[in-house]
Amino acid sequence: MEENRIIPAHVSIIMDGNGRWAKQRGLERVSGHKEGRESVRACVSCAAKAGIKYLSLFAFSEENWKRPLKEVTALMNLLVESITAELGTFIENNIRVRVIGNIARLSPVVRSAISKAEENTAACTGMTLVIFLSYSGKWDIFQAARKMAADMAADPGREFTMEDFDNYLATAGIPDPDLIIRTSGEQRISNYLLWQAAYSEFYITDILWPDFREKELMDAIDEYSRRDRRYGKVK
Ligand code: FPP
C-alpha cells in the first residue's frame, strides 16, 4: 500500500477504550490510561515520521469532568507527567505542542505544565501536536459566537463571513481534520470537533486505544488513502 499512501495534513484521534482495556485484564481504569499513554507516544512518533503536519488528540472532554474525582485526578497527573517528561523529545523532534480547550477549568499545576510545553516548543516547525483538553465542540462554537457577536456590535458596518467565524474558534489557524479516528468501536462524535469535522473522513476501529500503535495508525491512513473525498460535489 505504501506507494499509494496519501498522508493527511491533519489526523485527529478520539482515544477511547482505556477503561475497557483495563477491565478486560482485571486492572484499575488508571492502568488503561497509563497504557494509553504508550499509544500516544507511539502515534506521535509515527505521525511525525510519516510527515503528518498536525496530529490532534481528544485527551479530556468537558464531559469527562463528571467522572469520579479519583479518575480525573489520575488523568490530570498523567497528562502533566507526560507533557513534562516528553518535552525534550518534542523539542529534539521539532514538534510544536498546542493545548486547546476551556483552560480556565484546569488547575494551576496543569496550566503551568501546558504553558511551559507551549512556550518551549513555540519555534518548532515540524509536526504540531494538538492536545484537546477540557474541550467540547459546543463550548468552542459558543465561545466563538460570543466573541464574534461582541465584534459585530462594536463594528456594525462590517460584514462577517463564515470564514471569519473560523478565526474565532479555539482551533483558528489549524486546518480542519482530514481524518478522524475513533477507537473502541463507538460510532459517535461525542461533542468533539463539531464545526471543524464538516468534511472529515471517519475511521472507526474496534481496537481499544491502549492497543492502537504504529501499525494501526498506518492501517487507518491506508484506508483514508482509498477514500474518495468529494466535499458534496460530483467528480
Ligand atoms: C478514553 O478511554 C480515554 C481518555 C478519556 C483519556 C485519554 C488519556 C490518555 C491516554 C493519557 C495520556 C494523554 C496524553 C495526551 C499524554 P475511556 O476511559 O473512556 O475508556 P472506556 O470507554 O473503555 O471506559
Side-chain angles (χ1 to χ4, degrees):
M1 181 66 209
E2 252 188 86
E3 65 278 12
N4 298 323
R5 192 171 276 157
I6 299 167
I7 299 296
H10 182 177
V11 175
S12 194
I13 312 182
I14 303 177
M15 309 179 288
D16 199 6
N18 293 349
R20 277 162 283 168
W21 183 93
K23 198 173 172 204
Q24 282 171 4
R25 286 160 181 78
L27 301 168
E28 296 242 18
R29 291 178 59 82
V30 66
S31 305
H33 297 315
K34 283 190 179 151
E35 196 57 30
R37 177 174 60 181
E38 298 310 311
S39 296
V40 170
R41 298 185 72 210
C43 289
V44 169
S45 147
C46 176
K49 282 194 202 116
I52 290 169
K53 292 301 290 173
Y54 293 86
L55 175 71
S56 60
L57 305 171
F58 199 13
F60 193 87
S61 72
E62 282 268 78
E63 290 77 16
N64 287 156
W65 288 112
K66 295 184 198 127
R67 291 192 176 195
L69 182 62
K70 186 179 160 216
E71 186 173 342
V72 171
T73 310
L75 268 170
M76 289 297 155
N77 289 341
L78 200 58
L79 276 157
V80 170
E81 257 175 59
S82 309
I83 292 177
T84 310
E86 302 299 338
L87 188 51
T89 317
F90 292 144
I91 297 168
E92 265 167 46
N93 292 282
N94 201 18
I95 297 173
R96 181 174 178 190
V97 179
R98 288 194 53 188
V99 178
I100 294 181
N102 191 357
I103 303 300
R105 287 188 82 173
L106 301 167
S107 75
V109 177
V110 180
R111 271 188 271 167
S112 132
I114 292 170
S115 308
K116 200 171 160 210
E118 288 187 326
E119 282 161 23
N120 284 284
T121 61
C124 293
T125 53
M127 187 175 82
T128 298
L129 170 66
V130 185
I131 303 172
F132 284 97
L133 201 54
S134 191
Y135 181 85
S136 86
K138 285 192 178 184
W139 164 81
D140 196 1
I141 293 169
F142 189 65
Q143 67 80 31
R146 254 155 92 154
K147 280 194 214 145
M148 196 168 98
D151 284 355
M152 281 171 138
D155 191 356
R158 187 178 150 200
E159 276 266 348
F160 283 81
T161 64
M162 245 193 306
E163 286 69 37
D164 289 327
F165 188 71
D166 275 332
N167 295 320
Y168 289 93
L169 291 164
T171 51
I174 297 174
D176 288 345
D178 298 291
L179 171 64
I180 297 183
I181 299 171
R182 183 163 190 156
T183 58
S184 92
E186 308 292 357
Q187 308 199 17
R188 52 178 172 264
I189 188 87
S190 294
N191 204 0
Y192 188 38
L193 296 169
L194 301 180
W195 177 277
Q196 299 87 337
Y199 270 102
S200 304
E201 293 294 325
F202 277 84
Y203 177 85
I204 292 167
T205 170
D206 286 337
I207 294 166
L208 304 177
W209 177 247
D211 294 324
F212 192 95
R213 301 283 162 100
E214 291 90 344
K215 182 194 173 294
E216 289 71 25
L217 180 59
M218 281 306 158
D219 284 350
I221 290 173
D222 286 343
E223 162 69 27
Y224 168 84
S225 306
R226 290 189 286 269
R227 300 273 176 94
D228 179 17
R229 299 185 81 189
R230 292 189 301 280
Y231 301 94
K233 292 180 283 204
V234 178
K235 258 195 181 167

